[in-house]
Coordinates of all heavy atoms in Angstrom, one line a residue:
M690 N 39.0 -82.8 -52.2 CA 38.7 -82.1 -51.0 C 38.3 -80.7 -51.3 O 38.8 -80.1 -52.2 CB 39.9 -82.1 -50.1 CG 40.2 -83.5 -49.5 SD 41.5 -83.5 -48.2 CE 42.6 -82.2 -48.5
R691 N 37.3 -80.2 -50.6 CA 36.9 -78.8 -50.8 C 37.9 -77.9 -50.1 O 38.4 -78.2 -49.0 CB 35.5 -78.6 -50.2 CG 34.5 -79.3 -50.9 CD 33.1 -79.1 -50.4 NE 32.9 -78.0 -49.5 CZ 31.8 -77.9 -48.7 NH1 31.0 -78.9 -48.6 NH2 31.7 -76.9 -47.9
N692 N 38.2 -76.8 -50.8 CA 39.2 -75.8 -50.2 C 38.6 -75.0 -49.1 O 37.4 -74.7 -49.1 CB 39.7 -74.9 -51.3 CG 40.5 -75.6 -52.3 OD1 41.2 -76.6 -52.0 ND2 40.5 -75.2 -53.6
G693 N 39.4 -74.7 -48.1 CA 39.0 -73.8 -47.0 C 38.2 -74.4 -45.9 O 37.8 -73.7 -45.0
I694 N 37.9 -75.7 -45.9 CA 37.1 -76.3 -44.8 C 38.0 -77.2 -43.9 O 37.5 -77.6 -42.8 CB 35.9 -77.0 -45.3 CG1 36.3 -78.3 -46.1 CG2 35.0 -76.1 -46.1 CD1 35.2 -79.2 -46.4
H695 N 39.2 -77.5 -44.3 CA 40.0 -78.4 -43.5 C 41.0 -77.7 -42.7 O 41.6 -76.7 -43.2 CB 40.7 -79.4 -44.4 CG 39.7 -80.2 -45.2 ND1 39.0 -81.3 -44.7 CD2 39.3 -80.1 -46.5 CE1 38.2 -81.8 -45.6 NE2 38.4 -81.1 -46.7
P696 N 41.3 -78.1 -41.5 CA 42.4 -77.4 -40.7 C 43.8 -77.6 -41.3 O 44.0 -78.6 -42.1 CB 42.3 -78.1 -39.3 CG 41.6 -79.4 -39.6 CD 40.7 -79.2 -40.8
A697 N 44.6 -76.7 -41.0 CA 46.0 -76.8 -41.6 C 46.8 -77.9 -41.0 O 46.8 -78.1 -39.8 CB 46.7 -75.4 -41.4
L698 N 47.5 -78.7 -41.9 CA 48.3 -79.7 -41.5 C 49.8 -79.2 -41.4 O 50.3 -78.6 -42.3 CB 48.2 -80.9 -42.5 CG 48.8 -82.2 -42.1 CD1 48.1 -82.8 -40.9 CD2 48.7 -83.2 -43.3
R699 N 50.4 -79.4 -40.2 CA 51.7 -78.8 -40.0 C 52.6 -79.8 -39.1 O 52.0 -80.6 -38.5 CB 51.6 -77.4 -39.4 CG 51.0 -77.5 -38.0 CD 50.7 -76.1 -37.5 NE 49.8 -76.1 -36.5 CZ 48.4 -76.2 -36.6 NH1 47.9 -76.4 -37.8 NH2 47.6 -76.2 -35.6
P700 N 53.9 -79.6 -39.2 CA 54.7 -80.4 -38.3 C 54.5 -80.1 -36.8 O 54.5 -79.0 -36.4 CB 56.2 -80.1 -38.7 CG 56.1 -79.1 -39.8 CD 54.7 -78.7 -40.0
V701 N 54.4 -81.2 -36.0 CA 54.2 -81.1 -34.6 C 55.0 -82.2 -33.9 O 55.1 -83.3 -34.4 CB 52.7 -81.2 -34.2 CG1 52.5 -81.2 -32.7 CG2 51.9 -80.2 -34.9
V702 N 55.6 -81.8 -32.7 CA 56.3 -82.8 -31.9 C 55.4 -83.3 -30.8 O 54.8 -82.5 -30.1 CB 57.6 -82.2 -31.3 CG1 58.3 -83.2 -30.4 CG2 58.5 -81.8 -32.4
F703 N 55.2 -84.6 -30.8 CA 54.5 -85.3 -29.6 C 55.6 -85.8 -28.7 O 56.5 -86.5 -29.1 CB 53.6 -86.4 -30.1 CG 52.4 -85.9 -30.9 CD1 52.4 -85.7 -32.2 CD2 51.2 -85.6 -30.2 CE1 51.3 -85.2 -32.9 CE2 50.1 -85.1 -30.8 CZ 50.2 -84.9 -32.2
R704 N 55.4 -85.5 -27.4 CA 56.5 -85.8 -26.4 C 55.9 -86.6 -25.3 O 54.9 -86.2 -24.7 CB 57.1 -84.5 -25.9 CG 58.1 -84.7 -24.8 CD 58.8 -83.4 -24.5 NE 57.9 -82.4 -24.1 CZ 58.2 -81.1 -23.9 NH1 59.5 -80.7 -24.1 NH2 57.3 -80.2 -23.6
D705 N 56.5 -87.7 -25.0 CA 56.1 -88.6 -23.9 C 57.2 -88.3 -22.8 O 58.3 -88.9 -22.9 CB 56.0 -90.0 -24.2 CG 55.6 -90.9 -23.1 OD1 55.6 -90.5 -21.9 OD2 55.4 -92.1 -23.4
R706 N 56.9 -87.5 -21.8 CA 57.9 -87.1 -20.8 C 58.3 -88.3 -20.0 O 59.4 -88.4 -19.5 CB 57.4 -86.0 -20.0 CG 57.4 -84.7 -20.8 CD 57.0 -83.5 -19.8 NE 57.2 -82.3 -20.5 CZ 57.7 -81.2 -19.9 NH1 57.9 -81.2 -18.6 NH2 57.9 -80.1 -20.6
A707 N 57.4 -89.2 -19.7 CA 57.7 -90.3 -18.8 C 58.7 -91.2 -19.4 O 59.6 -91.8 -18.7 CB 56.4 -91.1 -18.5
A708 N 58.7 -91.4 -20.7 CA 59.6 -92.3 -21.4 C 60.8 -91.5 -22.0 O 61.7 -92.1 -22.5 CB 58.9 -93.1 -22.4
G709 N 60.7 -90.2 -22.1 CA 61.8 -89.4 -22.7 C 61.8 -89.6 -24.2 O 62.8 -89.5 -24.9
F710 N 60.6 -89.8 -24.8 CA 60.4 -90.1 -26.2 C 59.8 -89.0 -26.9 O 58.8 -88.4 -26.4 CB 59.6 -91.4 -26.4 CG 59.2 -91.7 -27.8 CD1 60.2 -92.3 -28.6 CD2 57.9 -91.6 -28.3 CE1 59.9 -92.6 -29.9 CE2 57.6 -91.9 -29.6 CZ 58.6 -92.4 -30.4
Q711 N 60.3 -88.6 -28.1 CA 59.7 -87.5 -28.9 C 59.5 -88.0 -30.3 O 60.3 -88.8 -30.8 CB 60.6 -86.3 -28.9 CG 60.8 -85.7 -27.6 CD 61.6 -84.4 -27.7 OE1 61.0 -83.3 -27.9 NE2 62.9 -84.5 -27.6
L712 N 58.4 -87.6 -31.0 CA 58.1 -88.0 -32.3 C 57.7 -86.7 -33.1 O 56.7 -86.0 -32.7 CB 57.0 -89.0 -32.3 CG 56.4 -89.4 -33.7 CD1 57.4 -90.2 -34.5 CD2 55.1 -90.2 -33.5
L713 N 58.4 -86.5 -34.2 CA 58.0 -85.4 -35.1 C 57.1 -85.9 -36.2 O 57.6 -86.8 -36.9 CB 59.3 -84.7 -35.7 CG 59.0 -83.6 -36.7 CD1 58.3 -82.4 -36.1 CD2 60.4 -83.1 -37.3
T714 N 55.9 -85.4 -36.3 CA 55.0 -85.8 -37.3 C 54.2 -84.7 -37.8 O 54.3 -83.6 -37.3 CB 54.1 -87.0 -36.8 OG1 53.3 -87.5 -37.9 CG2 53.2 -86.6 -35.7
R715 N 53.2 -84.9 -38.7 CA 52.3 -83.8 -39.1 C 51.0 -84.0 -38.4 O 50.5 -85.1 -38.3 CB 52.2 -83.9 -40.6 CG 53.5 -83.5 -41.3 CD 53.5 -83.7 -42.8 NE 52.2 -83.7 -43.4 CZ 51.9 -83.1 -44.6 NH1 52.9 -82.5 -45.2 NH2 50.7 -83.1 -45.1
S716 N 50.4 -82.9 -38.0 CA 49.1 -83.0 -37.3 C 48.4 -81.6 -37.4 O 49.0 -80.6 -37.8 CB 49.4 -83.3 -35.8 OG 48.1 -83.3 -35.1
T717 N 47.1 -81.7 -37.1 CA 46.3 -80.4 -37.1 C 46.1 -79.9 -35.7 O 45.5 -78.9 -35.5 CB 44.9 -80.7 -37.7 OG1 44.2 -81.7 -36.9 CG2 45.0 -81.2 -39.2
V718 N 46.7 -80.6 -34.7 CA 46.5 -80.1 -33.3 C 47.2 -78.8 -33.1 O 48.3 -78.5 -33.7 CB 47.0 -81.2 -32.3 CG1 48.5 -81.4 -32.4 CG2 46.6 -80.9 -30.9
E719 N 46.6 -78.0 -32.2 CA 47.2 -76.6 -31.9 C 47.9 -76.7 -30.6 O 47.5 -77.4 -29.7 CB 46.1 -75.6 -31.8 CG 45.2 -75.5 -33.1 CD 45.5 -74.3 -33.9 OE1 46.2 -73.4 -33.4 OE2 45.1 -74.3 -35.1
S720 N 49.0 -76.0 -30.4 CA 49.7 -75.9 -29.2 C 50.5 -74.6 -29.1 O 51.0 -74.1 -30.1 CB 50.8 -77.1 -29.1 OG 51.5 -76.9 -27.9
Q721 N 50.5 -74.0 -27.9 CA 51.2 -72.7 -27.7 C 52.6 -73.0 -27.3 O 53.5 -72.1 -27.5 CB 50.5 -71.9 -26.6 CG 49.1 -71.5 -27.0 CD 49.0 -70.7 -28.2 OE1 49.8 -69.8 -28.5 NE2 48.0 -70.9 -29.1
R722 N 52.9 -74.1 -26.8 CA 54.3 -74.5 -26.4 C 55.1 -74.9 -27.6 O 54.6 -75.5 -28.5 CB 54.3 -75.6 -25.3 CG 53.7 -75.0 -24.0 CD 53.5 -76.1 -23.0 NE 52.4 -77.0 -23.5 CZ 52.2 -78.2 -23.1 NH1 52.9 -78.7 -22.2 NH2 51.1 -78.9 -23.6
T723 N 56.4 -74.7 -27.5 CA 57.3 -75.1 -28.6 C 58.5 -75.8 -28.0 O 58.8 -75.7 -26.8 CB 57.8 -73.9 -29.4 OG1 58.5 -73.0 -28.5 CG2 56.6 -73.2 -30.1
V724 N 59.2 -76.5 -28.9 CA 60.4 -77.2 -28.5 C 61.4 -77.2 -29.7 O 60.9 -77.2 -30.9 CB 60.1 -78.7 -28.1 CG1 59.7 -79.5 -29.3 CG2 61.3 -79.4 -27.5
E725 N 62.7 -77.2 -29.4 CA 63.7 -77.2 -30.5 C 64.0 -78.6 -30.9 O 64.3 -79.4 -30.0 CB 64.9 -76.5 -30.1 CG 65.9 -76.3 -31.2 CD 67.1 -75.5 -30.9 OE1 66.9 -74.5 -30.1 OE2 68.2 -75.8 -31.3
W726 N 63.8 -79.0 -32.1 CA 64.0 -80.4 -32.6 C 65.5 -80.6 -32.9 O 66.3 -79.6 -32.8 CB 63.2 -80.6 -33.8 CG 63.2 -82.0 -34.3 CD1 63.7 -82.5 -35.4 CD2 62.6 -83.1 -33.6 NE1 63.5 -83.9 -35.5 CE2 62.8 -84.3 -34.4 CE3 62.0 -83.3 -32.4 CZ2 62.4 -85.6 -34.0 CZ3 61.5 -84.6 -32.0 CH2 61.8 -85.7 -32.8
E727 N 65.9 -81.8 -33.2 CA 67.3 -82.1 -33.4 C 68.0 -81.4 -34.5 O 69.2 -81.2 -34.5 CB 67.4 -83.6 -33.7 CG 66.9 -84.5 -32.5 CD 66.5 -85.9 -33.0 OE1 66.6 -86.2 -34.2 OE2 66.1 -86.7 -32.1
D728 N 67.2 -80.9 -35.5 CA 67.7 -80.2 -36.6 C 67.9 -78.7 -36.4 O 68.2 -77.9 -37.2 CB 66.9 -80.4 -37.9 CG 65.5 -79.9 -37.8 OD1 65.1 -79.4 -36.7 OD2 64.7 -80.1 -38.7
G729 N 67.5 -78.2 -35.1 CA 67.6 -76.8 -34.8 C 66.4 -76.0 -35.0 O 66.3 -74.8 -34.7
T730 N 65.3 -76.6 -35.7 CA 64.1 -75.9 -36.0 C 63.2 -76.0 -34.8 O 63.1 -77.0 -34.1 CB 63.4 -76.6 -37.2 OG1 64.4 -76.6 -38.3 CG2 62.2 -75.8 -37.6
T731 N 62.4 -75.0 -34.5 CA 61.4 -74.9 -33.4 C 60.1 -75.3 -33.9 O 59.6 -74.8 -34.9 CB 61.4 -73.5 -32.8 OG1 62.7 -73.2 -32.4 CG2 60.4 -73.5 -31.7
Y732 N 59.4 -76.3 -33.2 CA 58.1 -76.8 -33.6 C 57.2 -76.7 -32.4 O 57.6 -76.8 -31.3 CB 58.2 -78.3 -34.0 CG 59.0 -78.5 -35.3 CD1 60.3 -79.1 -35.2 CD2 58.5 -78.2 -36.5 CE1 61.0 -79.3 -36.3 CE2 59.3 -78.4 -37.7 CZ 60.5 -79.0 -37.6 OH 61.3 -79.2 -38.7
P733 N 55.9 -76.7 -32.6 CA 54.9 -76.8 -31.5 C 55.0 -78.2 -30.9 O 55.3 -79.2 -31.6 CB 53.5 -76.7 -32.2 CG 53.8 -76.2 -33.6 CD 55.2 -76.5 -33.9
V734 N 54.8 -78.3 -29.6 CA 55.0 -79.6 -28.9 C 53.7 -79.9 -28.1 O 53.1 -79.0 -27.6 CB 56.2 -79.6 -27.9 CG1 56.0 -78.6 -26.8 CG2 56.4 -80.9 -27.4
V735 N 53.3 -81.1 -28.1 CA 52.1 -81.6 -27.4 C 52.6 -82.7 -26.5 O 53.2 -83.7 -27.0 CB 51.0 -82.2 -28.4 CG1 49.9 -82.8 -27.6 CG2 50.6 -81.1 -29.3
D736 N 52.4 -82.6 -25.2 CA 52.8 -83.6 -24.2 C 51.7 -84.6 -24.1 O 50.5 -84.3 -24.0 CB 53.1 -83.0 -22.9 CG 54.3 -82.2 -22.9 OD1 55.3 -82.6 -23.6 OD2 54.4 -81.1 -22.2
V737 N 52.0 -85.9 -24.1 CA 51.1 -87.0 -24.0 C 51.5 -87.9 -22.8 O 52.6 -88.0 -22.4 CB 51.0 -87.9 -25.3 CG1 50.5 -87.1 -26.5 CG2 52.4 -88.5 -25.6
E738 N 50.4 -88.5 -22.2 CA 50.7 -89.4 -21.0 C 51.4 -90.7 -21.4 O 52.2 -91.2 -20.7 CB 49.4 -89.6 -20.3 CG 49.0 -88.6 -19.3 CD 47.8 -89.0 -18.5 OE1 47.8 -90.2 -18.0 OE2 46.9 -88.2 -18.3
I739 N 50.9 -91.3 -22.5 CA 51.3 -92.6 -22.9 C 51.5 -92.6 -24.4 O 50.7 -92.1 -25.1 CB 50.3 -93.7 -22.5 CG1 50.1 -93.7 -21.0 CG2 50.7 -95.0 -23.0 CD1 49.1 -94.7 -20.5
S740 N 52.7 -93.2 -24.8 CA 53.0 -93.4 -26.2 C 53.4 -94.8 -26.4 O 53.4 -95.6 -25.5 CB 54.1 -92.4 -26.6 OG 55.3 -92.8 -26.0
S741 N 53.8 -95.1 -27.6 CA 54.3 -96.5 -27.9 C 55.6 -96.8 -27.1 O 55.9 -98.0 -26.8 CB 54.6 -96.7 -29.3 OG 55.6 -95.8 -29.8
A742 N 56.3 -95.8 -26.6 CA 57.5 -96.0 -25.8 C 57.2 -96.3 -24.4 O 58.1 -96.9 -23.7 CB 58.4 -94.7 -25.9
S743 N 56.0 -96.0 -23.9 CA 55.7 -96.3 -22.5 C 54.5 -97.2 -22.3 O 54.2 -97.5 -21.2 CB 55.5 -95.0 -21.7 OG 54.4 -94.2 -22.3
H744 N 53.8 -97.5 -23.4 CA 52.5 -98.3 -23.2 C 52.9 -99.8 -23.0 O 53.8 -100.3 -23.6 CB 51.7 -98.2 -24.5 CG 50.3 -98.7 -24.3 ND1 50.0 -100.1 -24.3 CD2 49.1 -98.1 -24.1 CE1 48.7 -100.2 -24.1 NE2 48.2 -99.0 -24.0
P745 N 52.3 -100.4 -22.0 CA 52.6 -101.8 -21.6 C 52.5 -102.8 -22.8 O 53.2 -103.7 -22.8 CB 51.6 -102.1 -20.5 CG 51.2 -100.8 -19.9 CD 51.3 -99.8 -21.0
F746 N 51.6 -102.5 -23.7 CA 51.4 -103.5 -24.8 C 52.6 -103.5 -25.7 O 53.1 -104.6 -26.1 CB 50.2 -103.0 -25.7 CG 50.0 -103.9 -26.8 CD1 49.4 -105.2 -26.7 CD2 50.5 -103.6 -28.1 CE1 49.2 -106.0 -27.8 CE2 50.3 -104.4 -29.2 CZ 49.6 -105.6 -29.0
Y747 N 53.3 -102.4 -25.9 CA 54.4 -102.3 -26.7 C 55.7 -102.6 -26.0 O 56.7 -103.1 -26.6 CB 54.6 -100.9 -27.4 CG 53.4 -100.6 -28.3 CD1 52.4 -99.7 -27.9 CD2 53.3 -101.2 -29.5 CE1 51.4 -99.5 -28.8 CE2 52.3 -101.0 -30.4 CZ 51.3 -100.1 -30.0 OH 50.2 -99.8 -30.8
T748 N 55.8 -102.3 -24.7 CA 57.0 -102.5 -23.9 C 57.1 -103.8 -23.3 O 58.2 -104.3 -22.9 CB 57.2 -101.4 -22.9 OG1 56.1 -101.5 -21.9 CG2 57.2 -100.0 -23.5
G749 N 55.9 -104.4 -23.0 CA 55.9 -105.7 -22.3 C 56.1 -105.6 -20.8 O 56.2 -106.6 -20.1
T750 N 56.1 -104.4 -20.3 CA 56.2 -104.2 -18.9 C 54.9 -103.4 -18.4 O 54.2 -102.8 -19.2 CB 57.4 -103.3 -18.5 OG1 57.3 -102.1 -19.2 CG2 58.7 -104.0 -19.0
S751 N 54.7 -103.5 -17.1 CA 53.6 -102.7 -16.5 C 54.1 -101.4 -16.0 O 55.3 -101.3 -15.5 CB 52.9 -103.5 -15.5 OG 53.7 -103.8 -14.4
R752 N 53.2 -100.4 -16.0 CA 53.6 -99.1 -15.4 C 52.4 -98.6 -14.7 O 51.2 -98.7 -15.2 CB 54.0 -98.1 -16.5 CG 54.5 -96.8 -16.1 CD 54.8 -95.9 -17.2 NE 53.6 -95.1 -17.5 CZ 53.6 -94.0 -18.1 NH1 54.7 -93.5 -18.6 NH2 52.5 -93.3 -18.2
V753 N 52.6 -98.0 -13.5 CA 51.5 -97.5 -12.7 C 51.2 -96.0 -13.2 O 52.1 -95.2 -13.2 CB 51.8 -97.4 -11.2 CG1 50.7 -96.8 -10.4 CG2 52.1 -98.8 -10.8
V754 N 50.0 -95.8 -13.6 CA 49.5 -94.5 -14.0 C 48.8 -93.8 -12.9 O 47.9 -94.4 -12.3 CB 48.6 -94.5 -15.3 CG1 48.1 -93.2 -15.7 CG2 49.3 -95.2 -16.4
D755 N 49.2 -92.6 -12.5 CA 48.6 -91.9 -11.4 C 47.1 -91.6 -11.7 O 46.8 -90.8 -12.5 CB 49.4 -90.6 -11.1 CG 48.8 -89.9 -9.9 OD1 48.2 -90.5 -9.1 OD2 49.0 -88.7 -9.9
T756 N 46.3 -92.3 -10.9 CA 44.8 -92.1 -11.1 C 44.2 -91.6 -9.8 O 43.0 -91.5 -9.7 CB 44.1 -93.4 -11.5 OG1 44.4 -94.4 -10.5 CG2 44.6 -93.9 -12.8
A757 N 45.0 -91.2 -8.9 CA 44.4 -90.7 -7.6 C 43.6 -89.5 -7.9 O 44.0 -88.5 -8.5 CB 45.6 -90.4 -6.7
G758 N 42.4 -89.5 -7.3 CA 41.5 -88.4 -7.4 C 40.6 -88.4 -8.7 O 39.6 -87.6 -8.7
R759 N 40.9 -89.2 -9.7 CA 40.1 -89.2 -10.9 C 38.7 -89.7 -10.6 O 37.7 -89.2 -11.1 CB 40.8 -90.0 -12.0 CG 42.0 -89.3 -12.5 CD 42.6 -90.0 -13.7 NE 43.8 -89.4 -14.1 CZ 44.5 -89.8 -15.1 NH1 44.1 -90.9 -15.8 NH2 45.6 -89.2 -15.4
V760 N 38.6 -90.8 -9.9 CA 37.3 -91.4 -9.6 C 36.5 -90.5 -8.7 O 35.3 -90.3 -9.0 CB 37.5 -92.8 -8.9 CG1 36.1 -93.3 -8.5 CG2 38.2 -93.8 -9.8
E761 N 37.1 -89.9 -7.7 CA 36.4 -89.0 -6.9 C 35.9 -87.7 -7.6 O 34.8 -87.3 -7.4 CB 37.3 -88.5 -5.7 CG 37.6 -89.6 -4.7 CD 38.7 -90.6 -5.2 OE1 39.4 -90.3 -6.2 OE2 38.9 -91.6 -4.5
R762 N 36.8 -87.2 -8.5 CA 36.4 -86.1 -9.3 C 35.2 -86.5 -10.2 O 34.3 -85.7 -10.4 CB 37.6 -85.7 -10.2 CG 37.4 -84.3 -10.7 CD 38.7 -83.8 -11.3 NE 39.8 -84.7 -11.1 CZ 40.9 -84.8 -11.9 NH1 41.0 -84.1 -12.9 NH2 41.8 -85.7 -11.6
F763 N 35.2 -87.7 -10.8 CA 34.1 -88.1 -11.7 C 32.8 -88.2 -10.8 O 31.8 -87.8 -11.3 CB 34.4 -89.5 -12.3 CG 33.3 -90.0 -13.1 CD1 33.2 -89.6 -14.4 CD2 32.4 -90.9 -12.6 CE1 32.2 -90.1 -15.2 CE2 31.4 -91.4 -13.4 CZ 31.3 -91.0 -14.7
Q764 N 32.9 -88.8 -9.6 CA 31.8 -88.9 -8.8 C 31.2 -87.6 -8.4 O 30.0 -87.4 -8.4 CB 32.1 -89.7 -7.5 CG 32.4 -91.2 -7.7 CD 31.2 -92.0 -8.2 OE1 30.1 -91.5 -8.1 NE2 31.5 -93.1 -8.9
R765 N 32.0 -86.6 -8.1 CA 31.5 -85.3 -7.8 C 30.8 -84.7 -9.0 O 29.8 -84.0 -8.8 CB 32.7 -84.4 -7.4 CG 33.1 -84.5 -6.0 CD 34.0 -83.3 -5.5 NE 35.1 -83.1 -6.5 CZ 36.3 -83.4 -6.3 NH1 36.7 -84.0 -5.2 NH2 37.3 -83.2 -7.2
R766 N 31.3 -84.8 -10.2 CA 30.7 -84.2 -11.3 C 29.5 -84.9 -11.8 O 28.4 -84.3 -12.1 CB 31.7 -84.2 -12.5 CG 32.8 -83.2 -12.3 CD 33.6 -83.1 -13.5 NE 34.8 -82.3 -13.3 CZ 35.8 -82.2 -14.1 NH1 35.9 -83.0 -15.2 NH2 36.8 -81.5 -13.8
Y767 N 29.6 -86.3 -11.9 CA 28.5 -87.0 -12.6 C 27.8 -88.1 -11.7 O 26.8 -88.6 -12.1 CB 29.1 -87.7 -13.8 CG 29.8 -86.8 -14.8 CD1 31.2 -86.8 -14.9 CD2 29.1 -85.8 -15.5 CE1 31.9 -85.9 -15.7 CE2 29.8 -85.0 -16.3 CZ 31.1 -85.0 -16.4 OH 31.8 -84.2 -17.3
G768 N 28.4 -88.4 -10.6 CA 27.9 -89.4 -9.8 C 26.7 -89.0 -9.0 O 26.2 -87.9 -9.0
R769 N 26.0 -90.0 -8.4 CA 24.8 -89.7 -7.6 C 25.2 -89.0 -6.3 O 26.2 -89.2 -5.8 CB 24.1 -91.0 -7.3 CG 23.5 -91.7 -8.5 CD 22.5 -92.7 -8.0 NE 22.9 -94.0 -8.6 CZ 22.2 -95.1 -8.3 NH1 21.3 -95.0 -7.4 NH2 22.5 -96.2 -8.8
T770 N 24.3 -88.2 -5.9 CA 24.5 -87.6 -4.5 C 24.0 -88.6 -3.5 O 23.3 -89.5 -3.8 CB 23.7 -86.3 -4.4 OG1 22.3 -86.5 -4.6 CG2 24.2 -85.3 -5.5
T771 N 24.3 -88.3 -2.2 CA 23.8 -89.3 -1.2 C 22.3 -89.3 -1.1 O 21.7 -90.3 -0.7 CB 24.5 -88.9 0.2 OG1 24.1 -87.5 0.4 CG2 26.0 -89.0 0.1
A772 N 21.6 -88.2 -1.4 CA 20.2 -88.1 -1.4 C 19.5 -89.0 -2.4 O 18.4 -89.5 -2.2 CB 19.7 -86.7 -1.5
D773 N 20.2 -89.2 -3.5 CA 19.7 -90.1 -4.6 C 19.8 -91.5 -4.3 O 19.1 -92.3 -4.9 CB 20.5 -89.8 -5.9 CG 20.2 -88.4 -6.5 OD1 19.2 -87.8 -6.1 OD2 21.1 -87.9 -7.3
R774 N 20.7 -91.9 -3.5 CA 20.9 -93.4 -3.2 C 19.8 -93.8 -2.2 O 19.4 -93.1 -1.3 CB 22.3 -93.6 -2.5 CG 23.3 -93.2 -3.5 CD 24.7 -93.5 -3.0 NE 25.6 -93.0 -3.9 CZ 26.9 -92.8 -3.7 NH1 27.3 -93.0 -2.5 NH2 27.7 -92.3 -4.6
H775 N 19.4 -95.1 -2.4 CA 18.3 -95.6 -1.5 C 18.9 -96.6 -0.6 O 19.7 -97.4 -0.7 CB 17.2 -96.4 -2.4 CG 16.6 -95.4 -3.3 ND1 16.0 -94.2 -2.9 CD2 16.4 -95.5 -4.7 CE1 15.5 -93.6 -4.0 NE2 15.7 -94.4 -5.1

């Protein structure tokens, strides 16, 4: 690998608030928020919507994800206007 072109790899906590699951791993993702880990050390934290602890494929159960407003927001940004429709 060439020196100086790759982002820094550091410990980061990924947190799934819906399932109450946290995972400490190494990542290049940046975060301004921090959390204290089980060993007393403070690490950057990234909140995720779905992890292996809450994903239906891994849990075998279904979960409703709040999607209200997402389709409407997409239509406003990228959808056709009423004048474009025939």
Side-chain angles (χ1 to χ4, degrees):
M690 292 190 328
R691 291 179 22 198
N692 290 331
I694 64 168
H695 300 286
L698 193 62
R699 62 191 162 283
V701 175
V702 174
F703 287 92
R704 177 173 54 189
D705 181 350
R706 289 185 167 217
F710 175 73
Q711 297 184 89
L712 173 70
L713 175 62
T714 188
R715 293 170 26 137
S716 177
T717 60
V718 69
E719 304 256 345
S720 177
Q721 299 299 323
R722 291 173 290 164
T723 59
V724 68
E725 186 174 324
W726 189 246
E727 299 160 355
D728 62 1
T730 308
T731 301
Y732 296 106
V734 64
V735 176
D736 291 322
V737 294
E738 275 188 44
I739 296 176
S740 70
S741 61
S743 61
H744 194 281
F746 179 80
Y747 296 105
T748 62
T750 61
S751 63
R752 187 181 93 157
V753 176
V754 177
D755 181 23
T756 58
R759 290 185 185 182
V760 173
E761 291 80 11
R762 199 170 351 154
F763 178 84
Q764 291 295 339
R765 278 195 310 255
R766 287 184 188 167
Y767 308 108
R769 291 196 235 178
T770 62
T771 55
D773 292 340
R774 296 182 185 164
H775 300 306

